């Protein structure tokens, strides 16, 4: 028997939302706020996986807003880039955090979830994502269309910030042994472009051994962003939450989403404590740079690019 989810329209922190729920999980999505997911609740563990804002109400940002001035909770999309800067084809400015996080998405129900879509007001693309609840998994199918007659370079990554703590452990495929720091002047990892062994490395500030697969103590007040320097040979990564004996696993096609980045803030960014695990289609945050170094994906001319992402939860 298929466990079809219950789908209903609700209100979440002052905004219209869509709740999807089955016997294992419940998620909440805000179509008007970049189509972002603001709750991913594990019913078996009674655990909210997504980082939550303390604000009682949310304000939808205007197009091109500075991401740091708005809510950072939940899971939104970064597309067609991450950093603010020029697009390599026509030099149009990509806003901070990309475009689609600050755009309203159209949506409609399906049997197993919902479909959302958005069209860029500036660039020649549209994106559709189909979200389905299947057992203990959230499955998302993506398709981006290019309306121009030349390939369109882009970076996509899921900006999902997770509600994690000192019991968290990150797990990645074998063979990923080196990372590059892209957070300017971090406490332990040095300047932008500094490389480190993974998972263990030496702090450039104290000389102590660090395990980058774990979270630093809150009192360190750190913020980190690094990318693995090698392409992925397997399309998965996991977050192990030892205090509740649960695991959250990402699955995605490594030929379409070949890179992996990690964001960790232990109070160093707006006083927040969360982690983002970010499989992505290009590095390092800047589409113009990614195009120059040949580490970017492209939507074919007058064609489409498809990929998928699944979040699955279960016991350790």
């Amino acid at each position: 028997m298929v466990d079809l989810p219950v789908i209903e329209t609700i209100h979440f922190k002052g905004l219209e939302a869509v709740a999807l729920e089955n016997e294992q999980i419940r998620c909440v999505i805000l179509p008007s706020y970049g189509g972002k997911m603001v709750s991913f609740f594990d019913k078996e563990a009674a655990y909210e996986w997504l980082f939550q804002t303390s604000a009682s109400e949310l304000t939808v940002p205007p197009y091109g807003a500075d991401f740091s001035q708005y809510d950072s909770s939940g899971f939104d999309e970064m597309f067609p880039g991450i950093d603010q800067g020029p697009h390599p084809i026509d030099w149009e400015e990509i806003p901070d955090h990309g475009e689609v996080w600050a755009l309203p998405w159209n949506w409609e129900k399906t049997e197993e979830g919902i479909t959302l879509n958005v069209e860029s007001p500036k660039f020649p693309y549209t994106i559709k994502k189909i979200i389905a609840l299947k057992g203990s998994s959230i499955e998302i199918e993506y398709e981006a269309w290019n309306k121009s007659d030349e390939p369109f370079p882009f970076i996509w990554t899921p900006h999902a910030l997770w509600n994690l703590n000192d019991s968290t452990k990150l797990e990645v495929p074998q063979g990923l042994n080196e990372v590059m720091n892209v957070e300017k002047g971090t406490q332990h990892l040095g300047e932008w472009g500094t490389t480190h062994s993974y998972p263990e490395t030496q702090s450039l500030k104290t000389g102590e051994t660090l395990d980058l697969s774990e979270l630093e103590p809150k009192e360190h007040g750190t913020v980190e962003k690094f990318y693995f320097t090698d392409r992925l040979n397997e399309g998965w990564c996991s977050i192990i939450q030892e205090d509740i004996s649960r695991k959250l696993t990402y699955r995605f096609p490594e030929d379409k989403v070949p890179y992996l980045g990690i964001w960790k803030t232990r109070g160093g960014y707006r006083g927040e404590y969360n982690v983002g695990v970010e499989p992505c289609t290009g590095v390092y945050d800047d589409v113009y740079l990614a195009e120059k170094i040949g580490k970017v994906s492209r939507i074919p001319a007058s064609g489409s690019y498809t990929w998928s992402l699944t979040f699955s939860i279960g016991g350790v």
Side-chain angles (χ1 to χ4, degrees):
M1 180 178 178
V2 178
D3 177 23
L4 294 176
V6 174
I7 305 168
E8 58 180 344
T9 302
I10 64 170
H11 280 84
F12 181 91
K13 295 187 180 291
L15 299 177
E16 184 177 273
V18 185
L20 290 71
E21 183 172 5
N22 63 15
E23 293 182 355
Q24 286 100 343
I25 54 180
R26 183 177 190 269
C27 70
V28 178
I29 297 161
L30 302 179
S32 67
Y33 197 150
K36 78 169 177 174
M37 188 181 299
V38 289
S39 177
F40 179 18
F41 188 74
D42 181 345
K43 296 170 77 171
E44 182 174 334
Y47 186 74
E48 173 58 67
W49 281 93
L50 282 171
F51 171 66
Q52 298 293 295
T53 178
S54 60
S56 59
E57 292 192 350
L58 294 176
T59 300
V60 175
Y63 176 85
D66 178 349
F67 181 79
S68 68
Q69 300 303 306
Y70 286 84
D71 174 61
S72 60
S73 67
F75 156 38
D76 58 69
E77 316 285 345
M78 287 195 275
F79 189 102
I82 299 174
D83 284 349
Q84 183 176 2
H87 190 271
I89 295 300
D90 53 18
W91 290 84
E92 282 278 4
E93 187 84 354
I94 298 172
D96 177 46
H97 206 76
E99 284 192 306
V100 299
W101 73 277
L103 291 173
W105 291 53
N106 299 313
W107 73 279
E108 60 183 13
K109 290 183 181 181
T110 66
E111 187 176 58
E112 296 178 315
I114 64 173
T115 296
L116 299 103
N117 63 80
V118 68
E119 182 174 4
S120 170
K122 181 187 291 187
F123 297 99
Y125 70 80
T126 60
I127 301 176
K128 178 176 73 174
K129 60 179 179 179
I130 302 171
I131 302 176
L133 265 59
K134 296 183 180 180
S136 59
S137 297
I138 296 176
E139 299 182 2
I140 310 175
E141 299 288 337
Y142 293 88
E143 186 166 12
W145 288 273
N146 178 6
K147 297 183 289 182
S148 74
D149 58 4
E150 58 182 321
F152 183 81
F154 73 96
I155 294 175
W156 165 85
T157 191
H159 186 247
L161 296 183
W162 302 107
N163 172 34
L164 306 178
N165 55 35
D166 293 343
S167 297
T168 301
K169 183 84 172 181
L170 304 178
E171 191 174 58
V172 300
Q174 290 186 350
L176 296 181
N177 302 317
E178 184 184 67
V179 299
M180 188 179 96
N181 175 45
V182 296
E183 187 68 22
K184 296 177 182 177
T186 60
Q187 183 176 4
H188 294 294
L189 300 187
E191 297 302 317
W192 195 101
T194 306
T195 58
H196 295 264
S197 59
Y198 184 90
E200 291 192 346
T201 191
Q202 302 300 121
S203 168
L204 297 182
K205 180 179 182 180
T206 66
E208 66 182 304
T209 299
L210 302 175
D211 187 339
L212 296 178
S213 69
E214 297 179 348
L215 305 191
E216 295 179 21
K218 283 186 176 183
E219 57 268 22
H220 284 196
T222 57
V223 57
E224 300 172 5
K225 175 70 181 289
F226 54 81
Y227 283 96
F228 291 93
T229 54
D230 289 330
R231 291 172 64 102
L232 292 163
N233 53 23
E234 298 178 65
W236 69 271
C237 52
S238 295
I239 300 167
I240 299 172
Q241 200 59 20
E242 295 180 342
D243 55 345
I244 58 171
S245 299
R246 300 291 278 174
K247 176 188 284 194
L248 169 66
T249 297
Y250 291 53
R251 297 197 183 279
F252 47 89
E254 67 272 13
D255 59 328
K256 294 295 189 73
V257 186
Y259 305 103
L260 182 61
I262 304 291
W263 160 270
K264 296 190 288 184
T265 178
R266 302 293 281 163
Y269 175 76
R270 304 199 323 186
E272 296 177 354
Y273 301 95
N274 53 57
V275 176
V277 182
E278 300 179 354
C280 48
T281 64
V283 293
Y284 300 94
D285 288 6
D286 184 317
V287 176
Y288 186 82
L289 170 62
E291 171 81 357
K292 291 296 184 184
I293 63 176
K295 293 186 176 182
V296 71
S297 295
R298 299 174 181 84
I299 311 173
S302 303
S304 70
Y305 193 98
T306 60
W307 68 100
S308 62
L309 174 65
T310 297
F311 296 135
S312 299
I313 50 176
V316 175

